[in-house]
Amino acid sequence: MATVTETEARTDENGIVSPLAKLSEEQLEELGREFDAIHDEVYDDLGDRDRKYIVAMIEFHRTLAVAGRVLLLASRFKPAWLAGTTSLSLAKILENMEIGHNVLHGQWDWMNDPQIHSSTWDWDTASTSEAWKHSHNYIHHTYTNIRGKDKDLGYEIMRIDPHQKWHPVYLLQPIYNALLMALFEWGVAVHDMDIEAIRAGEKPKEEVLKDLKGIAGKARTQIVKDYVAWPALSGLAAAAASTALELVRGRGKPAAKGRRESLRRRLDPRRGAARRQMVEQLAGQAAQSFVRTYRTTFWADIVANIVRNLWAHAIIFCGHFPDQTYTFSKEETEDESRGAWYVRQLVGAANIEGGPMFHVWSGNLGYQVEHHLFPDMPSTRYAEIAPRVKDICERYELPYNSGPFFQQWGMVNRTILRLAFPGGKPRPKPGPYRGNDTNGSANGQPRRPESRPTGENGSGPEQSDDGVRVSMPDEE
């Protein structure tokens, strides 16, 4: 009589085997030590070059923002509008992705700089720092891709995994996903409130009101800054320039010849009327310049915010929802070991391939796999550790999810469209990573890393430092 192996027992109805089923407890323990060692080695090496990088990124963002605002002073001219909007869009992307997201993850808290610290940083987006850190850093990065626990899995409004029960409202998800792209920061802000807990009555009204007050405050700040103050400043500058130009032109008129001619002009009763007419004309032209420039700057700010939202939505969805990623049931992750936590992070994310500048504009979230393994590690180190992560994947026969941007983006949107309708099956998953580096120990056993000292609570993102926001809490 044939026996059922553990792997067969953990194969679902679609024939997909969880990577957790492929490794023994001893292998998971060893894998956990290897990833811990990578984390500790990088943290031991952090220093001045890392500090210079984040300071340079902040200065670069400010330069882009100032350049955009200066160009938009002349936004009534199309070339200036296009250049200013582009510069401002890039500034907002850089501030959100490479700076704000990563600072709030505590990646730079090791510097003990009170101005570049997760406890003090605020960013140009609708989410409050406090609500986002709880929803993203804690809930999402702790329970990554656990169905029913990770609230980022579809953001509570989309069916992104076939295991999710279908509801007729999902028929509309291709439409409201398009709206979410343009309004992503506001969708994330509302999501951070935990709508599911509010509906179930599990969240106290005091906390709901606190969250709403925080979002309202952020909304007020952004509306006043982007849609009132900056357009008004551009309009005033344009009005002043228009007035100055007309006055200079007026001075070009021929001067009076002789005292008698000068006296005649002064006594001319039409002089006062001419002055009033000139003032009225200047005021009219100034008002026209103000309104026109206010309007063009207003729309430039709208476009810049939408561009930032579209980019953030694309990068985040491509890093979490392509075909390659796995999701997990609550039962699979009960009594999860440290090594199993790493495996879940490894296969629950996907990288996006691109060049150095692509990774800067994406906040280095093109290395989403490395980010989920080490969310508190400075983002600039992800490219450095990627070969070591691939080596571990190869030796433990685990997948390393990666693909070009448009491949990942296409898969995500295909999933959103298909799962808007009933049914659907998980897409085929990639096999073990097979790189060119075939180094390994005899008998196919993974190499043991040199043991290294760890922190008080071991190593990795569960350290109790103020800047670290990820932990593995005990189940109730």
Side-chain angles (χ1 to χ4, degrees):
M1 181 176 178
T3 59
V4 178
T5 65
E6 180 180 356
T7 298
E8 290 172 337
R10 298 184 70 173
T11 300
D12 66 15
E13 65 276 12
N14 298 300
I16 294 178
V17 181
S18 168
L20 294 172
K22 299 178 180 180
L23 301 176
S24 66
E25 291 184 6
E26 291 75 16
Q27 287 176 311
L28 287 173
E29 183 179 353
E30 190 66 35
L31 178 144
R33 281 197 289 266
E34 290 203 45
F35 278 127
D36 283 346
I38 293 175
H39 179 277
D40 291 343
E41 288 172 25
V42 170
Y43 259 73
D44 288 345
D45 188 55
L46 294 178
D48 194 51
R49 75 179 176 103
D50 302 281
R51 183 192 65 81
K52 287 180 178 178
Y53 175 82
I54 188 60
V55 171
M57 284 296 105
I58 293 172
E59 291 177 350
F60 183 34
H61 158 254
R62 291 171 179 169
T63 300
L64 284 171
V66 170
R69 292 303 178 188
V70 170
L71 287 166
L72 288 175
L73 294 176
S75 60
R76 56 190 247 179
F77 302 105
K78 289 184 179 180
W81 186 91
L82 181 60
T85 304
T86 300
S87 183
L88 188 59
S89 299
L90 292 174
K92 286 178 175 288
I93 287 172
L94 187 65
E95 194 275 338
N96 265 203
M97 306 298 287
E98 180 68 331
I99 302 173
H101 171 273
N102 295 334
V103 170
L104 290 176
H105 258 299
Q107 293 182 7
W108 305 98
D109 287 4
W110 58 271
M111 298 191 304
N112 293 318
D113 186 329
Q115 295 184 348
I116 311 175
H117 199 278
S118 62
S119 63
T120 59
W121 191 269
D122 195 14
W123 55 347
D124 180 25
T125 189
S127 295
T128 64
S129 299
E130 181 181 359
W132 185 84
K133 284 188 287 188
H134 174 76
S135 172
H136 183 81
N137 292 9
Y138 174 68
I139 299 296
H140 171 58
H141 276 274
T142 301
Y143 304 115
T144 303
N145 283 22
I146 299 178
R147 299 186 295 273
K149 283 192 171 184
D150 182 5
K151 298 180 186 298
D152 281 15
L153 197 61
Y155 288 91
E156 300 180 290
I157 61 172
M158 283 189 287
R159 185 172 180 245
I160 205 75
D161 184 87
H163 294 91
Q164 294 173 272
K165 184 179 179 181
W166 183 81
H167 188 280
V169 73
Y170 292 134
L171 291 169
L172 299 175
Q173 74 179 22
I175 298 174
Y176 56 71
N177 178 57
L179 294 174
L180 181 63
M181 291 180 185
L183 304 172
F184 191 59
E185 61 174 314
W186 301 101
V188 170
V190 174
H191 166 72
D192 289 343
M193 293 179 62
D194 196 348
I195 301 301
E196 186 177 301
I198 295 174
R199 284 200 301 258
E202 299 172 356
K203 187 167 184 175
K205 292 182 179 179
E206 294 76 14
E207 291 187 20
V208 175
L209 291 174
K210 180 181 178 182
D211 288 345
L212 287 173
K213 184 178 180 180
I215 294 174
K218 296 291 296 231
R220 181 175 60 251
T221 298
Q222 186 176 105
I223 290 170
V224 170
K225 173 175 65 70
D226 284 346
Y227 307 131
V228 178
W230 282 115
L233 181 61
S234 294
L236 289 172
S242 174
T243 302
L245 184 60
E246 288 299 320
L247 288 174
V248 169
R249 288 174 179 172
R251 288 181 180 179
K253 295 180 180 180
K257 297 181 180 180
R259 293 182 180 179
R260 185 173 297 179
E261 178 65 16
S262 177
L263 180 61
R264 187 186 66 78
R265 287 190 179 186
R266 290 180 183 178
L267 296 177
D268 190 338
R270 294 172 297 178
R271 180 179 177 85
R275 283 185 173 181
R276 286 192 297 272
Q277 184 180 3
M278 182 183 69
V279 170
E280 290 174 0
Q281 184 179 0
L282 288 174
Q285 291 175 342
Q288 188 177 26
S289 295
F290 175 87
V291 171
R292 186 185 305 170
T293 306
Y294 184 102
R295 185 185 299 120
T296 53
T297 303
F298 177 88
W299 282 107
D301 286 355
I302 288 179
V303 170
N305 281 320
I306 290 176
V307 168
R308 183 265 315 277
N309 290 338
L310 292 173
W311 181 249
H313 177 281
I315 294 299
I316 291 169
F317 274 52
C318 287
H320 292 88
F321 307 135
D323 295 348
Q324 307 112 315
T325 59
Y326 287 78
T327 63
F328 302 86
S329 66
K330 295 178 183 179
E331 293 72 25
E332 285 181 278
T333 57
E334 287 181 355
D335 302 320
E336 187 177 60
S337 67
R338 181 67 178 159
W341 183 89
Y342 273 125
V343 172
R344 179 163 54 82
Q345 302 298 327
L346 178 73
V347 301
N351 283 359
I352 313 167
E353 297 165 6
M357 287 309 298
F358 170 85
H359 290 301
V360 169
W361 297 119
S362 65
N364 277 289
L365 294 179
Y367 294 102
Q368 191 71 238
V369 170
E370 287 73 18
H371 174 61
H372 264 269
L373 291 170
F374 309 112
D376 66 335
M377 182 181 290
S379 60
T380 50
R381 296 302 188 106
Y382 292 153
E384 296 178 13
I385 67 170
R388 299 179 65 182
V389 174
K390 292 178 181 177
D391 177 61
I392 291 175
C393 289
E394 184 177 6
R395 289 187 286 106
Y396 286 88
E397 297 188 336
L398 293 169
Y400 183 82
N401 301 329
S402 184
F405 174 83
F406 285 107
Q407 171 189 298
Q408 308 293 60
W409 190 77
M411 288 191 292
V412 169
N413 284 281
R414 180 182 61 193
T415 296
I416 291 173
L417 181 61
R418 171 61 188 91
L419 296 184
F421 300 93
K425 295 181 179 180
R427 303 288 298 182
K429 303 302 179 186
Y433 175 76
R434 302 297 184 194
N436 295 324
D437 181 9
T438 57
N439 294 331
S441 59
N443 302 320
Q445 295 297 317
R447 297 188 302 267
R448 289 180 175 271
E450 179 183 354
S451 61
R452 297 178 58 84
T454 61
E456 180 181 354
N457 299 318
S459 62
E462 82 286 0
Q463 286 296 311
S464 59
D465 304 82
D466 291 339
V468 177
R469 304 302 182 196
V470 178
S471 61
M472 295 174 58
D474 294 332
E475 294 288 342
E476 295 181 353

